Amino acid sequence: MIQRVQTVYLLLALLATIICLCLPIGSIAPKGMGVEVEVFNLFVTAGQGTVSFSVWPLFALLLITCPLAIAAIMAYKKRRLQAKLCYWNIVFCLAWYVYYAFMVLNNFQQMGTYHPAFAVCLPFVAMALYAFAHRGIMKDEELIKSSERIR
């Protein structure tokens, strides 16, 4: 299982996703007087512990990819299922970026100047790793098919 490069890609993508879930994804500097607001995937904190859970779909979209990645790692004998799980993880990461852009353009810009953090690039890194894993899985599938034709 671990000797396949696809498994390493899937583990690294899972790690990038978990790190993104834990780190802040941005901050909002207020227009006037006020406290800087920090944005996480699950909540938005402002000042003296004021918390808003208005961004919970960001957390949910990334959280869905975690069990799918674990299932893809465990399904190493079922290459087609593994490839489909990689595809769906890419779709959920893209959906995360779409909702993130929606939140930045509609909600965060009204509050002040938005500054993205490093963790915003981690779902893109995960998408690239899922794409590499998908390509490796498909190469393995073609290798198995070609070896069956030779027999």
Side-chain angles (χ1 to χ4, degrees), residues 79-80 140-150:
R79 287 173 299 281
R80 289 182 193 234
D140 279 356
E141 185 67 23
E142 289 175 16
L143 182 67
I144 296 296
K145 284 182 182 180
S146 68
S147 67
E148 288 176 359
R149 282 190 294 247
I150 294 174

Side-chain angles (χ1 to χ4, degrees), residues 14-139:
L14 178 64
L15 183 66
T17 303
I18 291 172
I19 291 172
C20 183
L21 285 171
C22 298
L23 292 177
I25 57 173
S27 62
I28 303 170
K31 289 181 181 175
M33 298 205 42
V35 190
E36 186 169 312
V37 176
E38 198 161 7
V39 181
F40 289 84
N41 276 304
L42 182 58
F43 55 88
V44 178
T45 61
Q48 306 297 329
T50 307
V51 177
S52 169
F53 290 98
S54 62
V55 293
W56 67 267
L58 290 173
F59 184 78
L61 285 169
L62 279 187
L63 192 63
I64 289 171
T65 64
C66 291
L68 289 179
I70 292 170
I73 292 169
M74 295 302 161
Y76 62 94
K77 290 185 180 179
K78 302 173 185 170
R79 287 173 299 281
R80 289 182 193 234
L81 173 65
Q82 201 175 26
K84 286 180 185 178
L85 291 173
C86 287
Y87 171 77
W88 281 108
N89 277 335
I90 292 171
V91 168
F92 283 121
C93 287
L94 281 173
W96 185 89
Y97 274 113
V98 168
Y99 191 76
Y100 176 75
F102 172 76
M103 291 299 289
V104 167
L105 295 175
N106 288 341
N107 297 346
F108 299 155
Q109 292 297 332
Q110 297 170 356
M111 298 169 69
T113 307
Y114 182 76
H115 304 287
F118 165 73
V120 172
C121 72
L122 291 175
F124 182 76
V125 170
M127 280 192 315
L129 289 167
Y130 287 130
F132 292 152
H134 185 272
R135 185 181 57 168
I137 292 164
M138 297 315 290
K139 280 185 180 179

